Amino acid sequence: MADADADAGDDDDDADDDDDDADDDVDEEDRLVEEGEIAGDYLEQLLDVLDFDGDIDLDVDGDRAVVSIDGGDDLTKLVGRKGEVLDALQELTRLAVQQATGDRSRLMLDIARWRADRRDRLARLGKEVAERVLKSGEKEALDPMTPFERKIVHDAVAVVDGVVSESEGAEPKRRVVVLPNA
């Protein structure tokens, strides 16, 4: 009889573990939503100071908060050449979130859909290069990219059977190379 009670107690412990996992997921989601709200407030103030119009949208994508600014006419000025201004604003926003929460943020900022469009273009490029390499049997090196951009290309190449990709070189000239899978 004591063994049956002990087993029943074990089942309760397992159920508690499942509840803890669900609580962790909710806590993580809440933390990311909070990051997005802090970032949104920071960016709203920044837009006011700079006299830019834009709609701020907050979202959670996987393990990071995503903040998008759309709708303003001059928003491309906040993207800059090759996204340089956008990258700087993202880092400033991450620092603002870190100052408020005490935790490092992996928040992603997109302005005027620049990152979303860039992601789409890079994914298409990765697939096209992979198909060319598959057809020709010759490796192909792409132009240097940021780590974020290389990951998008690697992910796109990974879905094409018969080819692989790797990164070579040193920053800031690190690039993706697509090779036939030997």
Side-chain angles (χ1 to χ4, degrees):
M1 188 70 167
D3 289 338
D5 289 338
D7 288 342
D10 288 344
D11 289 341
D12 288 343
D13 289 342
D14 291 342
D16 289 342
D17 289 345
D18 290 342
D19 288 343
D20 289 344
D21 290 343
D23 289 345
D24 289 345
D25 291 343
V26 170
D27 291 345
E28 179 69 8
E29 177 89 12
D30 288 345
R31 185 185 65 76
L32 293 173
V33 167
E34 178 187 12
E35 276 189 20
E37 289 173 349
I38 293 166
D41 291 344
Y42 173 79
L43 290 165
E44 188 173 322
Q45 291 174 5
L46 182 66
L47 289 175
D48 285 344
V49 167
L50 297 174
D51 199 27
F52 279 88
D53 290 325
D55 298 320
I56 298 174
D57 183 44
L58 311 174
D59 198 5
V60 174
D61 183 16
D63 62 347
R64 65 175 53 192
V66 179
V67 180
S68 303
I69 304 174
D70 292 302
D73 295 334
D74 293 336
L75 289 178
T76 56
K77 292 177 182 176
L78 296 178
V79 172
R81 189 177 70 83
K82 295 185 178 182
E84 292 168 339
V85 175
L86 173 56
D87 289 341
L89 289 173
Q90 177 175 277
E91 282 307 308
L92 288 172
T93 305
R94 286 177 174 177
L95 287 171
V97 170
Q98 182 175 350
Q99 184 179 25
T101 64
D103 295 324
R104 173 110 170 91
S105 172
R106 295 186 61 240
L107 174 130
M108 181 69 69
L109 174 63
D110 195 3
I111 298 176
R113 289 197 42 84
W114 189 85
R115 280 198 208 282
D117 292 344
R118 179 80 174 141
R119 180 186 305 257
D120 292 344
R121 286 190 308 271
L122 288 169
R124 277 194 312 273
L125 173 67
K127 186 177 179 197
E128 289 167 4
V129 170
E131 289 170 355
R132 279 197 309 262
V133 168
L134 188 60
K135 189 179 232 182
S136 72
E138 299 290 322
K139 78 176 186 176
E140 189 172 331
L142 283 74
D143 291 335
M145 297 178 189
T146 66
F148 172 77
E149 293 169 330
R150 288 193 308 269
K151 178 170 182 353
I152 294 166
V153 173
H154 286 303
D155 289 348
V157 170
V159 300
V160 178
D161 289 333
V163 295
V164 294
S165 63
E166 55 188 42
S167 292
E168 69 178 26
E171 296 294 349
K173 300 217 183 254
R174 196 156 169 82
R175 67 185 66 234
V176 174
V177 178
V178 181
L179 310 118
N181 193 6

